[in-house]
């Protein structure tokens, strides 16, 4: 059984598990009334019809990804004849396991946030500082793990140029990357099917990159998550029957970030994650400009109709399907550029 056959089987199995689990999960979420509260005061009024749509659907791809990634890895080891008595051969497994634990911990953080929202019937969960504190703890553990299991480089690799070793400052900077990027993915989850589609594309790109960099074991995770996202989209494309919630979006954010840091190719990380980065950056620009103009002119002004930027397009007349297709195509273009830079440098 070839490496790519194992990957395809892993993705297909993850797709089936995620898709089939929705048959049981969605009615269960309806039964316990775990519906998403929708805030429409400053946003599209037509989102009000989504009030009560079941949330926490991210469990579909979380469960499928964890199961099939681990199974795919051990099948890969078995079929490729890796010496299981060699302790060094387990380092990649431990890095893969660190990625899974890191993503699962962020998924659990998202679950707590979702639970507070649905239990209190409000659109607010944990406070921002509570989230950041937990993210710092989880992020610190993950950075320690990838260093302990082999990646001791503290250089920022931009392909055409690498910085000198930054020491402890590298980890401080990467902690900021973890906080920014995981929350950027979370912000991307605002239109039916958007976050799942963009992440599906990102995982396919990462699969190619892992193969190029000879980190084949990590493709078990990227393909498992790609299949899981695709299975979830059966339930999440417009009109969504279920939302992933922060449970799912935080898991996806941590997955994208973890794979980026494990590959240690920072230019690649920027390009593959550029859709997410722009989504979060639009919020930063909007808030900063609003505060600046309010202080200068006495009233706040906006650059975008609404942020994150997918809502700007939505309020400009784009359908949710058009937004999903446009952003996914952008993800493909940026990702292919990332692959090119990886090959070029």
């Amino acid at each position: 059984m070839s490496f790519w056959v194992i990957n395809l089987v892993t993705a297909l199995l993850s797709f089936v598990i995620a898709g089939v689990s929705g048959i049981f999960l969605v009615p269960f979420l309806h039964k316990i009334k775990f519906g998403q509260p929708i805030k429409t005061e400053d946003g599209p009024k037509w989102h009000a019809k989504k009030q009560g749509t079941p949330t926490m659907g991210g469990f579909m791809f979380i469960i499928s990804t964890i199961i099939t990634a681990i199974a795919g890895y051990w099948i890969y080891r078995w079929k490729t004849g890796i010496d299981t008595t060699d302790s060094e051969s387990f380092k990649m497994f431990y890095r893969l396991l660190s990625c899974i634990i890191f993503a699962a911990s962020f998924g659990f953080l998202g679950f707590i946030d979702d639970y507070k929202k649905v239990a209190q019937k409000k659109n607010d969960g944990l406070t921002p500082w509570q989230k950041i504190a937990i993210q710092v703890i989880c992020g610190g553990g993950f950075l320690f793990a990838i260093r302990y299991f082999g990646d001791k480089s503290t250089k920022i690799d931009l392909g055409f140029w690498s910085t000198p070793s930054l020491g402890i400052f590298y980890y401080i900077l990467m902690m900021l990357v973890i906080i920014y990027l995981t929350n950027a993915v979370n912000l991307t989850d605002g239109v039916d099917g958007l976050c799942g589609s963009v992440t599906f594309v990102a995982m396919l790109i990462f699969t190619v990159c892992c193969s190029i960099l000879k980190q084949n074991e990590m493709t078990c995770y990227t393909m498992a998550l790609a299949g899981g996202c695709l299975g979830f989209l059966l339930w999440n494309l417009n009109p969504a029957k279920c939302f992933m919630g922060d449970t799912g979006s935080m898991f996806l954010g941590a997955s994208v970030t973890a794979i980026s840091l494990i590959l240690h190719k920072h230019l690649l990380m920027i390009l593959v994650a550029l859709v997410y980065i722009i989504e979060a950056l639009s919020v930063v620009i909007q808030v900063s400009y609003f505060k600046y103009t309010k202080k200068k002119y006495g009233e706040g002004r906006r650059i975008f109709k609404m942020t994150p930027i997918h809502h700007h397009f939505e309020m400009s007349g784009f359908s949710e399907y058009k937004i999903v297709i446009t952003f996914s195509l952008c993800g493909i273009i940026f990702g292919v550029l990332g692959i090119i830079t990886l090959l070029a440098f």
Side-chain angles (χ1 to χ4, degrees):
M1 187 182 294
S2 73
F3 163 67
W4 287 109
V5 171
I6 294 172
N7 270 323
L8 289 173
V9 170
T10 298
L12 180 60
L13 184 59
S14 184
F15 167 76
V16 171
I17 292 174
V20 171
S21 65
I23 298 174
F24 307 98
L25 182 61
V26 174
F28 175 73
L29 292 172
H30 269 296
K31 183 177 180 180
I32 61 176
K33 302 186 186 304
F34 270 24
Q36 175 70 42
I38 304 294
K39 186 185 293 184
T40 59
E41 291 86 350
D42 302 314
K45 303 301 180 185
W46 52 90
H47 278 204
K49 64 184 179 182
K50 300 183 181 185
Q51 182 80 23
T53 301
T55 189
M56 299 191 198
F59 278 118
M60 296 182 204
F61 55 75
I62 292 174
I63 294 170
S64 69
T65 298
I66 293 174
I67 292 173
T68 58
I70 293 175
Y73 170 79
W74 286 107
I75 293 172
Y76 170 77
R77 284 183 69 100
W78 172 46
K79 287 298 184 179
T80 53
I82 296 175
D83 184 4
T84 56
T85 63
D86 180 10
S87 60
E88 286 294 314
S89 72
F90 277 93
K91 281 191 174 181
M92 180 52 73
F93 173 68
Y94 293 139
R95 290 167 72 184
L96 172 62
L97 189 61
S98 298
C99 176
I100 293 172
I101 294 172
F102 176 64
S105 67
F106 270 67
F108 183 68
L109 168 62
F111 168 75
I112 296 173
D113 201 34
D114 282 335
Y115 185 80
K116 286 177 69 69
K117 290 176 184 177
V118 297
Q120 298 172 359
K121 301 301 179 184
K122 297 179 180 179
N123 203 37
D124 300 303
L126 295 170
T127 67
W129 287 112
Q130 286 174 329
K131 292 179 184 178
I132 290 175
I134 298 172
Q135 288 169 0
V136 167
I137 293 171
C138 296
F142 177 70
L143 290 173
F144 172 80
I146 57 176
R147 177 177 175 83
Y148 185 81
F149 294 122
D151 185 7
K152 294 180 170 57
S153 173
T154 58
K155 297 179 180 180
I156 294 178
D157 186 354
L158 297 177
F160 56 87
W161 177 71
S162 293
T163 67
S165 294
L166 301 178
I168 190 65
F169 295 104
Y170 173 81
Y171 296 105
I172 294 173
L173 184 58
M174 290 305 105
M175 182 65 73
L176 295 176
V177 168
I178 288 172
I179 293 171
Y180 181 92
L181 192 51
T182 52
N183 286 288
V185 176
N186 178 249
L187 288 170
T188 306
D189 182 35
V191 169
D192 293 353
L194 179 59
C195 193
S197 297
V198 172
T199 306
F200 169 72
V201 169
M203 288 303 116
L204 293 182
I205 297 295
F206 274 136
T207 299
V208 176
C209 296
C210 288
S211 179
I212 294 171
L213 294 170
K214 308 300 181 185
Q215 298 204 35
N216 293 337
E217 292 89 341
M218 285 305 300
T219 64
C220 297
Y221 188 83
T222 57
M223 288 296 283
L225 186 50
C229 285
L230 203 57
F232 173 70
L233 286 172
L234 296 176
W235 299 93
N236 188 237
L237 286 176
N238 185 257
K241 300 176 184 65
C242 186
F243 298 142
M244 69 173 66
D246 285 359
T247 303
S249 61
M250 294 302 288
F251 180 87
L252 295 183
S255 297
V256 171
T257 308
I259 295 164
S260 300
L261 293 178
I262 286 174
L263 294 180
H264 206 99
K265 296 291 182 181
H266 300 92
L267 178 59
L268 174 68
M269 174 177 65
I270 292 170
L271 289 170
V272 175
L274 196 53
V275 171
Y276 308 120
I277 292 170
I278 292 172
E279 288 270 36
L281 189 60
S282 69
V283 176
V284 174
I285 293 171
Q286 183 90 319
V287 172
S288 300
Y289 185 72
F290 186 88
K291 290 182 177 180
Y292 168 75
T293 53
K294 187 172 184 179
K295 184 177 181 180
K296 185 171 183 179
Y297 303 111
E299 63 174 6
R301 301 176 183 177
R302 293 175 172 84
I303 296 175
F304 306 106
K305 293 181 179 180
M306 185 182 178
T307 56
I309 199 169
H310 58 258
H311 285 314
H312 171 82
F313 287 103
E314 188 178 12
M315 297 184 77
S316 298
F318 277 55
S319 68
E320 294 193 36
Y321 272 119
K322 189 173 182 179
I323 293 170
V324 169
I325 292 170
T326 302
F327 279 50
S328 298
L329 285 174
C330 288
I332 292 172
I333 293 169
F334 297 148
V336 170
L337 286 175
I339 294 172
I340 292 172
T341 60
L342 198 62
L343 294 171
F345 303 115

